Amino acid sequence: MSIFSMPTTTISKFPIHSILDSHNTRVPSYQFEIDFIGTGVDAFVGQISKKHGYRFKDRDQKGLNKLVGLYVCEGSPQGLVSEIPAWAWQRDHYFNQGIDISSPLEMTVWNGEQRLYYDDEAGLSSMTDFVDEDRYGTDAADLMTKTPYLYARDTYRLHASYSVTTDKPFNPDLISLHCKDVLGCRFITRFDYDGQTFEPELLDWPYADPNDRIVQILFK
């Protein structure tokens, strides 16, 4: 073999344009925080016996409030939560908790420290623009039949944030809220952005004020 001979090198036949395309198909990533500041609500509805229904249905608000106390809940952002009497938990019941978009609501969208969107007039009319009308649950008002229910509601100031990563710049039209109505409150049960579901981070969730609690016996 000549000292000038070079080893054979195999050249890949992978098209050069495919290599370039692989670098050009990277999807841009947009990240922003969607903040909601407004009224948080804990709402309990539990079926009770007719004995309890007849016993308590004519009490005034002060008397009904004595049925539901407060206790310290370890690990709860609030620290204090309502203590529902045991006789209201023994039958069918459900509990909803979260931000109430039927109350005045502020929505701000941030990209880092840059504010992209701000709406401080977010009563029911403005938030309704984001609600998927096919995603309602049954309103607790439908439960007001011959069977009595205990209804207890606590309210507090709430700040929740959704961290969104997407391949599109922010567009409010891509927000879709799935909601449930409970006796005048409308809870966000699911938050979608551009078809993706995101969970909230609770940034501020102070104590519920027992003076703002509403307790009712739902019984015709």
Side-chain angles (χ1 to χ4, degrees):
M1 177 183 294
S2 167
I3 61 172
F4 299 105
S5 297
M6 298 294 292
T8 303
T9 302
T10 302
I11 299 176
S12 172
K13 295 183 179 180
F14 194 81
I16 189 65
H17 65 80
S18 296
I19 298 175
L20 295 176
D21 289 345
S22 68
H23 293 286
N24 293 333
T25 55
R26 294 181 61 185
V27 177
S29 178
Y30 296 91
Q31 294 182 334
F32 36 82
E33 304 292 325
I34 301 179
D35 286 0
F36 288 107
I37 300 177
T39 301
V41 174
D42 295 351
F44 172 87
V45 181
Q47 183 181 349
I48 61 177
S49 67
K50 287 188 177 181
K51 177 186 72 174
H52 287 105
Y54 283 118
R55 181 179 177 183
F56 299 122
K57 70 182 182 70
D58 294 326
R59 289 194 180 184
D60 59 17
Q61 188 64 63
K62 183 177 180 180
L64 289 173
N65 279 353
K66 294 180 180 179
L67 300 177
V68 181
L70 284 176
Y71 75 99
V72 177
C73 182
E74 297 295 336
S76 166
Q78 296 155 280
L80 296 174
V81 295
S82 287
E83 185 174 23
I84 306 298
W87 44 264
W89 286 100
Q90 295 175 0
R91 300 165 183 256
D92 290 340
H93 60 268
Y94 66 87
F95 181 76
N96 286 98
Q97 186 177 67
I99 195 162
D100 176 17
I101 69 168
S102 67
S103 299
L105 184 67
E106 174 185 309
M107 184 173 75
T108 309
V109 181
W110 301 91
N111 179 11
E113 296 183 355
Q114 180 184 5
R115 187 168 68 185
L116 303 177
Y117 183 88
Y118 175 69
D119 182 1
D120 64 349
E121 300 176 355
L124 180 60
S125 58
S126 59
M127 284 295 100
T128 299
D129 296 338
F130 303 115
V131 175
D132 184 339
E133 297 293 339
D134 295 329
R135 298 292 181 174
Y136 284 136
T138 301
D139 193 332
D142 297 337
L143 300 174
M144 297 178 67
T145 63
K146 295 181 179 179
T147 301
Y149 287 82
L150 173 69
Y151 171 66
R153 185 181 78 193
D154 285 323
T155 58
Y156 41 87
R157 192 72 174 165
L158 180 67
H159 181 185
S161 182
Y162 294 86
S163 296
V164 174
T165 300
T166 182
D167 61 351
K168 299 182 180 71
F170 175 73
N171 181 350
D173 293 336
L174 297 179
I175 296 176
S176 175
L177 304 180
H178 300 184
C179 296
K180 183 175 184 179
D181 289 348
V182 181
L183 290 174
C185 297
R186 179 167 292 180
F187 292 92
I188 300 175
T189 58
R190 178 172 152 185
F191 177 92
D192 287 355
Y193 185 86
D194 195 19
Q196 298 183 72
T197 300
F198 296 91
E199 298 297 328
E201 177 185 2
L202 301 178
L203 302 179
D204 185 23
W205 195 349
Y207 293 158
D209 187 344
N211 295 320
D212 294 333
R213 179 187 296 123
I214 294 176
V215 180
Q216 296 176 345
I217 301 295
L218 309 180
F219 193 20
K220 286 186 177 181

